[in-house]
Amino acid sequence: MIRVLLVDDHPVVRDGLRGMLHTEPDLEVVGEAGSGQEAVVAARAHRPDVILMDLRMPGLDGVYATEAILRESRSCRVVVLTTYESDADILRAVEAGAIGYLLKDATKADLTAAIRAASRGETTLAPSVAGRLVRQVRGPAGPTLSAREVQVLALVAEGRTNAEIGRALHISEATVKTHLLRTFGKLDVSDRTAAVTTAMARGLLG
């Protein structure tokens, strides 16, 4: 079972998410929180595998809550679920350590797939979010990958998890995620498999 914590300051949203996930046999909602402060306490108490995290909440927002939670638990994965998709929001969430970024108009299939992907240490981005990353990191002469991004992607091609890649390259798992997100943006893709195949097709990865 994948243990899920719901974090949103609107009870109706949490109720809707709980009802949506209730029918999934491998997903279990173990707790809820209505603020960033409550999320930190709930994560400590329930030890979820994946947290669905709203960004903008009164008091401690989703970004600061994500940072606080991930400082205490490296095994927990945070997927942002929000109505906001500004460049600043996306970058803040990624830098805080979020492994996924979805918008609240996501379908049930997309949401449950993102939760399962996050539990495996894989990144999922809403298409519009991936598009914004493209505009941020793609150069005018077309996308090129840094040496480190190529190293990370080569290990992804071998089937390594983010944690295994971090150990192999002596970098943190959060840094691995950041390299992958930038690679996704440069290649205009939203998942690991597409990144590998696209990079190979463009001659960026041997």
Side-chain angles (χ1 to χ4, degrees):
M1 293 290 288
I2 299 171
R3 297 165 57 82
V4 182
L5 175 67
L6 307 177
V7 182
D8 196 288
D9 59 330
H10 294 100
V12 68
V13 173
R14 300 198 305 271
D15 289 345
L17 290 171
R18 179 181 284 274
M20 185 183 296
L21 300 180
H22 178 70
T23 58
E24 299 298 311
D26 59 333
L27 305 181
E28 178 188 9
V29 176
V30 295
E32 298 181 14
S35 68
Q37 292 96 325
E38 290 179 9
V40 175
V41 174
R44 193 178 295 138
H46 298 294
R47 295 184 171 276
D49 301 306
V50 178
I51 300 175
L52 291 182
M53 179 76 74
D54 191 17
L55 272 189
R56 301 190 187 179
M57 296 177 287
L60 192 71
D61 70 10
V63 169
Y64 289 114
T66 296
E67 290 176 337
I69 290 167
L70 296 182
R71 275 198 301 268
E72 293 188 12
S73 174
R74 294 187 178 183
S75 62
C76 183
R77 317 293 186 184
V78 176
V79 175
V80 169
L81 183 63
T82 183
T83 56
Y84 303 100
E85 56 176 328
S86 73
D87 293 353
D89 286 322
I90 295 167
L91 286 177
R92 287 182 67 228
V94 170
E95 289 170 355
I99 197 170
Y101 199 111
L102 295 180
L103 302 180
K104 287 183 178 176
D105 61 0
T107 65
K108 177 181 178 180
D110 287 341
L111 180 61
T112 54
I115 292 171
R116 293 180 179 110
S119 73
R120 298 190 299 267
E122 300 172 4
T123 299
T124 302
L125 302 175
S128 59
V129 172
R132 286 184 176 275
L133 284 174
V134 171
R135 290 191 291 275
Q136 290 179 49
V137 301
R138 176 177 285 172
T144 58
L145 301 182
S146 70
R148 180 64 89 187
E149 288 164 350
V150 171
Q151 286 179 316
V152 169
L153 201 55
L155 292 173
V156 169
E158 294 178 6
R160 306 278 193 98
T161 66
N162 287 356
E164 290 170 341
I165 293 169
R167 287 194 294 270
L169 299 179
H170 306 290
I171 57 178
S172 71
E173 191 172 346
T175 301
V176 173
K177 294 175 193 173
T178 299
H179 285 309
L180 282 175
L181 286 169
R182 292 188 180 278
T183 299
F184 289 1
K186 289 179 179 181
L187 299 180
D188 194 13
V189 299
S190 59
D191 62 64
R192 295 157 68 95
T193 301
V196 170
T197 56
T198 300
M200 287 181 172
R202 295 181 183 178
L204 301 174
L205 186 66

